[in-house]
Amino acid sequence: MADSSEQTRRPKRIQLPPQIYNDTRDRMKVWVTVTPRRRLASRVTFDIVEVGLVDSAMTLAAQAFTSLLPVMIAASTLQRLQPLSDAARDNLGAEFPPSDVTTGSATAFGIVGLLMLLISSTSYARALGRMYGRIWHVPIATLRQAWRWLAVVFVIAGSVAIAAVCHKLDSIPAVGQLLGFTAVYGVWALVWTLVPMLLTANRMTTRMCIGSGLLTATGLSALHVASTLFLPRITRTSQDQFGLLGVMFTLISWLFVFSAIVVVAGTIVGSVAKDDGPLGRWLRGS
């Protein structure tokens, strides 16, 4: 009796009849594949899920974060890097405490910081290489080609400095902001075209790398506009509530979005390249 009363108290699960479930699944398959655009959209969605967007972006963000720390510390101690430190502080909207360091200790730390930067940045380059290899299913640069990792480090570091210079174009009357935005977009497009070329050891077509660079630059430019509008306010609020720890949380969140854009751009290009349409054939070079 107890068993029967317990079964009556349990809520009944609603189960679709097998025929209705199979019909619904078949209709969804037909709807997704009925047009080339829908097939491409479903392929892009599936590839983004398969690559593990959150895990890939968080891995890249963590690697970038450990690479940025030596730069931030070195920028606060080395006088020559102070302009870049001021530019990063203005864009982020955070007020970092001043550091009183003697010249000798700054020079010593500069050497140590440079070594830390090279080691941590090459790990970031290797993580980028694994991401591109997993998305595009190609071999990546090996230890014998370690110079490619260093080249990626210098390309990305140089692009940050060049982008900081390009922002000075904003002061030109009338057309300054447009010139600055266009220049920064060109820098990002060139950088994120060269990065996959180096990390995949030229195993991908130039067109695919160019497409990835243009798409990545578009996403990063949109991120820059959004960061200019909202990031300083968010950072100041986090700093007022949690101090420097709040600034670090904001920075790692921004790096996660930055990395997600890189992952999504590469995945979209890889998905389009597998398509039988004219754009896919053009990207494959066939």
Side-chain angles (χ1 to χ4, degrees):
M1 295 295 294
D3 294 338
S4 59
S5 60
E6 184 178 353
Q7 290 178 358
T8 56
R9 288 196 300 267
R10 290 178 182 176
K12 296 182 178 179
R13 295 181 180 179
I14 300 176
Q15 294 181 352
L16 292 176
Q19 185 64 32
I20 297 178
Y21 173 78
N22 293 331
D23 291 344
T24 304
R25 183 188 59 187
D26 294 339
R27 288 177 182 177
M28 289 296 297
K29 288 182 178 180
V30 172
W31 186 87
V32 168
T33 60
V34 71
T35 63
R37 291 184 178 179
R38 291 179 184 176
R39 286 196 297 269
L40 180 59
S42 62
R43 182 183 294 112
V44 170
T45 303
F46 177 78
D47 288 345
I48 290 176
V49 173
E50 186 180 20
V51 79
L53 175 61
V54 175
D55 292 340
S56 299
M58 185 56 69
T59 300
L60 291 176
Q63 294 287 353
F65 184 75
T66 56
S67 300
L68 286 175
L69 279 179
V71 178
M72 295 172 62
I73 299 174
S76 64
T77 56
L78 298 179
Q79 190 65 29
R80 292 181 179 180
L81 295 179
Q82 197 62 39
L84 290 179
S85 176
D86 295 338
R89 180 194 59 196
D90 295 337
N91 292 331
L92 189 62
E95 292 293 336
F96 295 100
S99 57
D100 298 328
V101 185
T102 62
T103 304
S105 60
T107 303
F109 180 79
I111 298 173
V112 176
L114 180 60
L115 292 175
M116 291 175 60
L117 176 63
L118 288 175
I119 295 173
S120 59
S121 295
T122 52
S123 64
Y124 176 64
R126 293 195 300 273
L128 274 174
R130 290 191 296 270
M131 184 270 296
Y132 282 116
R134 186 170 61 253
I135 289 176
W136 292 346
H137 305 288
V138 295
I140 58 177
T142 60
L143 187 59
R144 294 181 179 180
Q145 300 170 321
W147 65 269
R148 293 180 180 272
W149 300 333
L150 292 175
V152 167
V153 171
F154 288 116
V155 166
I156 295 178
S159 68
V160 174
I162 296 174
V165 174
C166 292
H167 284 307
K168 294 182 179 180
L169 297 174
D170 295 343
S171 59
I172 299 177
V175 296
Q177 291 185 349
L178 179 60
L179 286 176
F181 180 84
T182 305
V184 172
Y185 180 88
V187 170
W188 287 126
L190 179 60
V191 166
W192 291 102
T193 298
L194 291 175
V195 166
M197 280 184 177
L198 290 168
L199 293 176
T200 58
N202 296 328
R203 292 182 175 92
M204 300 305 300
T205 63
T206 303
R207 294 174 182 179
M208 284 190 64
C209 294
I210 292 175
S212 180
L214 293 175
L215 196 57
T216 303
T218 302
L220 294 182
S221 298
L223 176 62
H224 172 72
V225 173
S227 300
T228 303
L229 295 175
F230 304 109
L231 191 59
R233 183 184 304 174
I234 295 174
T235 306
R236 283 194 295 269
T237 302
S238 300
Q239 188 175 24
D240 293 340
Q241 293 181 354
F242 304 105
L244 189 59
L245 186 61
V247 177
M248 296 298 104
F249 285 151
T250 304
L251 180 58
I252 194 66
S253 301
W254 185 89
L255 288 173
F256 174 80
V257 178
F258 182 99
S259 303
I261 290 173
V262 175
V263 175
V264 170
T267 305
I268 291 176
V269 171
S271 300
V272 175
K274 292 184 290 187
D275 189 64
D276 294 330
L279 183 56
R281 291 194 298 270
W282 183 83
L283 286 174
R284 294 193 303 268
S286 58

